[in-house]
């Protein structure tokens, strides 16, 4: 597989893993709504750095143990699919809430908070391992460092693309962002995670049947 394909796959992973609305999204949305696009992206950058670190750990660890992963691919897909299914359903049925009002912490302070919230969340690394481990032949093989770096770069680009898009949208929709809007965003993100999980099980079923 060429490096460009790994980059595009990473972008997709970055988009999917950044979309669920949680504390970091709400902080970024509040700053974008109250102080503009730049402040919202500043907050989100903390989460992007944490995502990049975990994506690198997941990609390179998966690449380094390709022989083991290949031998246990069905088990990894089954467990990863279960994890993603549960996470997707939790995201879909969650009820995020954004407190109104001005003030609060600065964008730089919340950027650090966003990094800490993301890097200390075990669900993040488990999510990356589940998704990247379930890619099968679509992930870099052991020794393909350029492919692994391309996929990690793609995750970073995908995450930044999500945050830039959401902060730009919010900064142009000040006054329209409410809990209902956040729930709809989670419905989309949760549904995508569930679809990915179902796709893993469909792939397993096809392989077992054939």
């Amino acid at each position: 597989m060429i490096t460009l394909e790994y980059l595009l796959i990473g972008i997709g992973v970055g988009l999917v893993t950044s979309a669920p609305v949680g504390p970091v999204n709400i902080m970024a949305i509040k700053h974008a709504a109250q102080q503009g696009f730049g402040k919202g992206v500043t907050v989100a950058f903390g989460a992007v750095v944490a995502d990049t670190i975990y994506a690198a750990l997941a990609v390179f660890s998966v690449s380094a143990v390709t022989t083991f992963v290949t031998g246990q691919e069905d088990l990894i897909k089954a467990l990863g699919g279960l994890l993603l299914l549960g996470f997707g359903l939790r995201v879909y049925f969650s009820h995020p809430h954004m407190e109104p009002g001005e003030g609060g912490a600065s964008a730089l302070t919340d950027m650090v908070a966003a990094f800490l919230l993301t890097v200390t969340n075990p669900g993040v690394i488990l999510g990356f391992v589940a998704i990247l481990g379930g890619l099968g032949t679509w992930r870099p093989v052991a020794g393909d460092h350029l492919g692994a770096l391309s996929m990690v770069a793609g995750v970073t680009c995908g995450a930044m693309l999500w945050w830039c898009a959401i902060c730009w949208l919010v900064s142009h929709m000040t006054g329209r962002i409410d809990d209902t809007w956040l729930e709809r965003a989670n419905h989309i993100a949760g549904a995508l995670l569930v679809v990915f999980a179902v796709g893993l099980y469909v792939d397993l079923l096809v392989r077992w049947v054939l």
Side-chain angles (χ1 to χ4, degrees), residues 35-36 38 74 85 96 106 121 125 128 131 157 171 180 190 193:
Q35 299 174 298
D74 288 352
L85 183 62
S106 68
N121 183 356
I125 183 62
F128 276 119
I131 292 175
C157 291
S171 66
T180 300
L193 289 170

Side-chain angles (χ1 to χ4, degrees), residues 112-197:
V112 175
F115 172 79
L116 294 175
L117 282 170
T118 306
V119 83
T120 57
N121 183 356
V124 176
I125 183 62
L126 290 175
F128 276 119
V129 170
I131 292 175
L132 297 172
L135 289 176
T137 57
W138 292 92
R139 65 173 177 266
V141 298
D144 185 3
H145 301 304
L146 182 58
L149 286 172
S150 297
M151 184 167 284
V152 173
V155 171
T156 303
C157 291
M160 282 303 301
L161 179 62
W162 164 260
W163 289 113
C164 287
I166 199 68
C167 290
W168 181 88
L169 180 64
V170 168
S171 66
H172 287 74
M173 294 178 60
T174 303
R176 302 181 187 179
I177 305 299
D178 55 17
D179 291 353
T180 300
W181 190 93
L182 295 177
E183 283 194 17
R184 288 173 181 170
N186 262 10
H187 286 165
I188 295 173
L192 288 173
L193 289 170
V194 169
V195 167
F196 192 93

